[in-house]
Amino acid sequence: GNLYNFLYNWLWARVNGGKVLLRIDDADASRFRMAYLENIFRMLDLIGLDWDVGPSGPDDFVRQWSQQLRVPLYHQLLSELRDNQFVFACNCSRSTLATVAANSPVYPGTCESKDIHADAPDVSWRILFRGEARILFQDKQQSRQDIDMRLSCGSFVVRRRDGIPAYQVCSLADDLYFGVTHVARGSDLILSTASQLWLAASLEKEKFLQTTFLHHSLLMDSKKEKLSKSVGNAQGSLMMVKPEKLFGRFAAFSGIAKSEAPLSLDALMELAKKCDTFGS
């Protein structure tokens, strides 16, 4: 799943003369494993994909590209949110929310009016919506998106209870830092995109609001579960797949070919050039 996503971004950039950024998320140091990092570079090397900006290998990533080196940027965004009164503190645990919200993904507003101090121990920071909370954006593959943040997720977390900036904050800060202009993601991240657009609009980060988004369908296994490293599957099996077969499967999956017939990377790119999906 992650490899297919990289292929989406790689083809989109290469077809249009853009640059590919290899960004690896490791903001949560407790979940970082060198073996996972090494696997990323091994897979990309195996199928012959390159990139223009980013680490040359695992050691270079740790020295110069880790998100741990950009933590001040993430906390700067958090400070801006706090200074502009866009956050409130929440001391709800997951079990408490599961009970109160009956396992709904929408935050029920439990702590919004409790006036818990932001510096209190063991609290998360959640977004405080003021006024309308609708996000509109044009998705390149999923058509126009109109998302009411209150109804879709409610006050989402921007700082975890352990003090670590949440994914939405890190992703926004990184995209601004690296000057990202185009983002291809799985369709399961549409709400994350909307959250980041809300943050950018609230903090007047105009460059991010000009980003072009493409949310592609998800690669599923026989049990209709998504394939990705986050669910712990599809790691070793890729080592046994020839790149040509992988490219053929991707071509069929992405809709730029009618069959899964093996393809070279050059042939895959020629097909992508003729497809509106990968147009500028």
Side-chain angles (χ1 to χ4, degrees), residues 152-169:
S152 299
C153 64
S155 300
F156 58 92
V157 172
V158 289
R159 197 197 74 169
R160 298 176 0 180
R161 295 178 71 178
D162 57 11
I164 296 177
Y167 167 79
Q168 319 295 7
V169 170

Side-chain angles (χ1 to χ4, degrees), residues 231-249:
V231 292
N233 50 24
Q235 291 288 324
S237 60
L238 281 173
M239 296 294 290
M240 303 175 66
V241 177
K242 291 184 178 180
E244 292 78 8
K245 287 188 177 182
L246 179 71
F247 298 145
R249 292 174 184 175

Side-chain angles (χ1 to χ4, degrees), residues 56-76:
S56 59
D59 292 339
D60 186 40
F61 171 79
V62 173
R63 287 195 308 268
Q64 301 189 76
W65 296 90
S66 168
Q67 286 188 313
Q68 299 300 318
L69 303 174
R70 298 190 296 278
V71 167
L73 295 180
Y74 311 149
H75 282 286
Q76 174 60 37

Side-chain angles (χ1 to χ4, degrees), residues 189-262:
L189 291 177
I190 287 179
L191 190 53
S192 287
T193 296
S195 299
Q196 290 158 27
L197 286 168
W198 188 92
L199 292 173
S202 299
L203 297 178
E204 300 181 352
K205 308 297 183 183
E206 296 299 325
K207 288 186 178 180
F208 187 81
L209 299 178
Q210 299 169 14
T211 303
T212 301
F213 292 98
L214 182 159
H215 291 85
H216 56 76
S217 56
L218 302 181
L219 184 64
M220 315 295 280
D221 63 15
S222 59
K223 297 179 181 179
K224 303 301 181 182
E225 296 178 350
K226 73 173 184 177
L227 292 178
S228 78
K229 71 177 188 302
S230 64
V231 292
N233 50 24
Q235 291 288 324
S237 60
L238 281 173
M239 296 294 290
M240 303 175 66
V241 177
K242 291 184 178 180
E244 292 78 8
K245 287 188 177 182
L246 179 71
F247 298 145
R249 292 174 184 175
F250 174 83
F253 164 77
S254 61
I256 62 177
K258 295 181 179 180
S259 74
E260 294 186 356

Side-chain angles (χ1 to χ4, degrees), residues 83-94:
D83 291 345
N84 286 281
Q85 300 181 336
F86 283 126
V87 296
F88 66 91
C90 172
N91 60 9
C92 292
S93 65
R94 289 186 179 182

